[in-house]
Amino acid sequence: MEASNQSAVTEFVLLGLSAHPKLEKTFFVLILSMYLVILLGNGVLILVTILDSCLHTPMYFFLGNLSFLDICYTTSSVPLVLDGFLTPRKTISFSACAVQMFLSFAMGATECVLLGMMAFDRYVAICNPLRYPVVMSKAAYVPMAVSSWAAGGVNSLVQISLAVQLPFCGDNVINHFTCEILAVLKLACADISINVISMGVANVIFLGVPVLFIFVSYIFILTTILKIPSAEGRKKAFSTCSAHLTVVVIFYGTILFMYGKPKSKDPLGADKQDISDKLTSLFYGALTPMLNPVIYSLRNKDVKTAVKTLVSQKCFAQ
């Protein structure tokens, strides 16, 4: 049927787990619990990095940005997911869908760049400690963080602008929990080759380049650490970047698991794989932001001390 003979799409239907209503209630409780942990954990990290003067350093400034980013990223999608678990007909307007895509895409791209900036911070701290105060001065690390947010925002604006210009005049059912951009593009009744190429270029810039940068940075970091004569010195040096490295492995490892695994060629297993892919994407959006504050709290004495101080001061004030 020609596009001109079809009405334009004004809203989308989010399929989610509609075919599995029993699972919806279970996952509502699970995702809500994870979301509350994300808000609490990252909120506490933001508070301690602001209130504790000992944490007014580049590393903790980036960490505060990462925590705020995780809150924004999950808030752009999780409330929509939770509402979908409870609402019989899960619909979202075209404009709201565009806003949700923009926010989630911007936050994802920003986190990729921000993790690269944090790797550079650890590289300078370990490989050039004497120059660290000069290289990572406030005049340097604040623009670095701002540029991460700006780059993610501009990239998202480009991708979403290209997407919303497409005609949507047929099927309006998104086989996902949220307005995931690839799922939305599949519904366009026009050629999406420009969108695919644009997203491919963006993936190289915002995924490939930061991964390569982080990899090279850690080669220099590990080389420098191995040259430290004492075992205690090596352990202390590695502990300063172990939390960041753990977050990087979880973040990019989950992405590789999601998009790198082979697709099933068995038609009978397509439905199970479809559910598996959607749930993997759902937990990717909540698991990494939930683990970040836990990792930095458990593996960082400064953060643990700051949290204890903040709690004790609050209790004393009461």
Side-chain angles (χ1 to χ4, degrees):
M1 185 181 291
E2 294 295 327
S4 58
N5 295 330
Q6 301 180 26
S7 58
V9 171
T10 58
E11 68 176 17
F12 293 104
V13 177
L14 300 170
L15 197 58
L17 289 176
S18 299
H20 307 273
K22 291 183 179 179
L23 289 177
E24 288 187 316
K25 302 299 184 288
T26 301
F27 280 105
F28 174 83
V29 175
L30 186 58
I31 298 301
L32 177 60
S33 301
M34 294 175 71
Y35 183 51
L36 293 176
V37 172
I38 289 168
L39 295 179
L40 178 62
N42 286 288
V44 169
L45 269 182
I46 293 172
L47 271 178
V48 298
T49 55
I50 292 175
L51 299 178
D52 195 319
S53 58
C54 296
L55 301 184
H56 292 176
T57 63
M59 182 175 73
Y60 296 111
F61 177 76
F62 287 131
L63 178 56
N65 274 262
L66 183 64
S67 294
F68 180 68
L69 185 149
D70 284 338
I71 290 176
C72 294
Y73 178 74
T74 52
T75 302
S76 71
S77 58
V78 171
L80 181 63
V81 173
L82 294 174
D83 179 66
F85 283 143
L86 299 178
T87 308
R89 180 173 172 81
K90 309 158 183 65
T91 60
I92 183 172
S93 67
F94 188 91
S95 57
C97 186
V99 171
Q100 195 270 319
M101 283 193 297
F102 171 80
L103 291 174
S104 60
F105 210 89
M107 297 304 106
T110 300
E111 182 157 0
C112 291
V113 180
L114 195 59
L115 288 173
M117 298 293 187
M118 295 173 76
F120 177 74
D121 172 73
R122 293 300 84 205
Y123 160 76
V124 178
I126 294 174
C127 299
N128 296 283
L130 297 179
R131 296 194 61 204
Y132 183 77
V134 177
V135 176
M136 295 303 297
S137 63
K138 190 172 183 179
Y141 68 75
V142 171
M144 287 169 67
V146 171
S147 64
S148 299
W149 287 90
V154 170
N155 173 59
S156 182
L157 185 62
V158 171
Q159 304 304 328
I160 305 308
S161 296
L162 291 174
V164 297
Q165 290 179 32
L166 292 169
F168 294 89
C169 47
D171 187 11
N172 70 333
V173 178
I174 298 175
N175 190 19
H176 212 278
F177 295 102
T178 62
C179 290
E180 201 271 334
I181 190 166
L182 292 176
V184 173
L185 289 177
K186 291 178 182 179
L187 303 180
C189 47
D191 182 22
I192 61 171
S193 57
I194 294 179
N195 302 76
V196 173
I197 294 172
S198 177
M199 289 187 65
V201 173
N203 286 339
V204 171
I205 296 173
F206 288 92
L207 284 174
V209 173
V211 167
L212 181 61
F213 185 80
I214 292 169
F215 179 73
V216 172
S217 297
Y218 272 99
I219 287 179
F220 285 109
I221 288 171
L222 291 175
T223 302
T224 301
I225 290 176
L226 291 175
K227 291 179 181 179
I228 299 175
S230 67
E232 184 64 28
R234 289 194 296 269
K235 182 180 178 181
K236 184 177 180 180
F238 184 74
S239 67
T240 64
C241 58
S242 59
H244 172 258
L245 185 59
T246 303
V247 169
V248 167
V249 170
I250 292 174
F251 181 77
Y252 287 106
T254 310
I255 292 177
L256 290 175
F257 175 78
M258 284 173 56
Y259 298 106
K261 63 179 180 179
K263 299 295 181 182
S264 173
K265 296 181 180 180
D266 181 11
L268 297 176
D271 183 57
K272 289 184 178 180
Q273 180 175 318
D274 183 55
I275 296 173
S276 174
D277 289 344
K278 286 193 287 186
L279 290 178
T280 301
S281 176
L282 176 64
F283 279 101
Y284 163 72
L287 187 62
T288 304
M290 184 182 72
L291 289 178
N292 285 353
V294 176
I295 292 169
Y296 276 100
S297 297
L298 292 178
R299 309 195 68 167
N300 192 299
K301 292 181 180 179
D302 293 335
V303 173
K304 286 191 286 188
T305 302
V307 171
K308 289 178 182 178
T309 302
L310 183 65
V311 172
S312 63
Q313 287 177 347
K314 185 176 180 180
C315 292
F316 181 76
Q318 291 177 343

